[in-house]
């Protein structure tokens, strides 16, 4: 009798937490993203609070954690306005008003069972990725176009966060929305 063949384990499920803004003028951002962000067809403009991570935790365990954090957090008035090139690959729309509160919410979401997934080598700066390119010339064009087409301010109130599942093929599914404390 031969040795049993061990099949490789399937990859762990991946999850993330994000906020999907409803800015006045969001259609301008989405039109820009369709031209410059390869992820534009996969996911709407969003601010990532917990970056995609693999875990053996169940969706229910993650929902419980996110619900608990969100329920104790007040809504955050936000303004996004400045665009910036990051890491010679991305163009970000940066949070101005509310950035410190968003960063504190990010830190709280990474508490407890998610702490091991926090990247401590990178500072968290609240942003919405609006373009991505490895071609420096294209990145320069994208940045100049963002400065022109997305001039001004985008205002909203962060009132809920969304738990997302990220499939191995990159498909992103919304699992559940969690309102922030609305007392």
């Amino acid at each position: 009798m031969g040795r049993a063949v061990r099949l490789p384990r399937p990859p762990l499920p991946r999850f993330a937490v994000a906020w999907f803004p409803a800015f006045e003028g969001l259609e301008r951002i989405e039109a820009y993203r369709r031209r410059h962000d390869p992820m534009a067809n996969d996911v709407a403009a969003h601010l990532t609070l917990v970056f995609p991570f693999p875990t053996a935790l169940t969706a229910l365990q993650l929902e419980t954690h996110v619900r608990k954090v969100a329920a104790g957090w007040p809504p955050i008035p936000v303004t996004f306005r400045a665009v910036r090139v990051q890491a010679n690959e991305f163009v970000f729309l940066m949070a101005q008003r509310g950035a410190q509160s968003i960063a504190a919410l990010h830190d709280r979401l990474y508490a407890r069972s998610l702490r091991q997934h926090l990247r401590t080598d990178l500072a968290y700066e609240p942003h919405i990725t609006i373009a991505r390119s490895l071609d420096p010339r294209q990145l320069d064009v994208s940045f100049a176009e963002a400065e022109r087409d997305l001039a001004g301010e985008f205002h909203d109130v962060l009132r809920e966060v969304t738990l997302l599942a990220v499939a191995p093929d990159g498909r992103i599914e919304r699992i559940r929305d969690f309102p922030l404390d609305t007392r």
Side-chain angles (χ1 to χ4, degrees):
M1 196 159 186
R3 288 181 32 192
V5 176
R6 261 200 168 154
L7 297 175
R9 289 185 181 185
L12 289 172
R14 291 175 15 131
F15 297 91
V17 178
W19 170 61
F20 293 90
F23 300 128
E24 183 176 318
L26 183 60
E27 65 281 349
R28 289 182 16 229
I29 294 171
E30 292 294 13
Y32 173 88
R33 288 183 68 237
R34 283 190 295 275
R35 293 189 307 272
H36 299 286
D37 184 355
M39 293 294 295
N41 292 326
D42 297 323
V43 63
H46 63 282
L47 175 129
T48 303
L49 290 157
V50 174
F51 291 88
F53 64 97
T55 185
L57 296 172
T58 67
L60 181 59
Q61 289 171 309
L62 293 169
E63 287 178 27
T64 301
H65 172 71
V66 174
R67 179 183 296 110
K68 183 177 180 181
V69 171
W73 207 268
I76 305 169
V78 297
T79 300
F80 286 73
R81 73 169 154 250
V83 293
R84 182 172 88 195
V85 172
Q86 181 71 23
N88 296 319
E89 183 176 351
F90 302 95
V91 178
F92 289 166
L93 182 61
M94 301 300 298
Q96 304 295 310
R97 178 179 180 212
Q100 288 182 327
S101 295
I102 294 168
L105 176 57
H106 159 271
D107 292 348
R108 182 70 55 91
L109 285 163
Y110 271 107
R112 306 174 69 86
S113 57
L114 300 187
R115 184 175 312 286
Q116 66 181 335
H117 302 290
L118 176 64
R119 294 213 32 203
T120 56
D121 59 321
L122 298 172
Y124 178 72
E125 296 182 83
H127 67 275
I128 297 170
T129 301
I130 56 174
R132 184 175 188 179
S133 178
L134 293 171
D135 178 344
R137 287 182 299 248
Q138 180 56 47
L139 196 61
D140 289 344
V141 168
S142 297
F143 177 72
E145 192 176 314
E147 284 190 310
R148 182 190 71 226
D149 293 352
L150 302 178
E153 296 183 339
F154 299 90
H155 305 279
D156 200 355
V157 178
L158 192 161
R159 296 182 191 278
E160 69 181 15
V161 297
T162 303
L163 179 62
L164 305 168
V166 183
D169 65 1
R171 192 174 39 84
I172 298 168
E173 174 188 347
R174 288 181 179 214
I175 295 177
R176 179 158 297 156
D177 297 327
F178 300 96
L180 299 186
D181 181 12
T182 55
R183 281 185 264 158

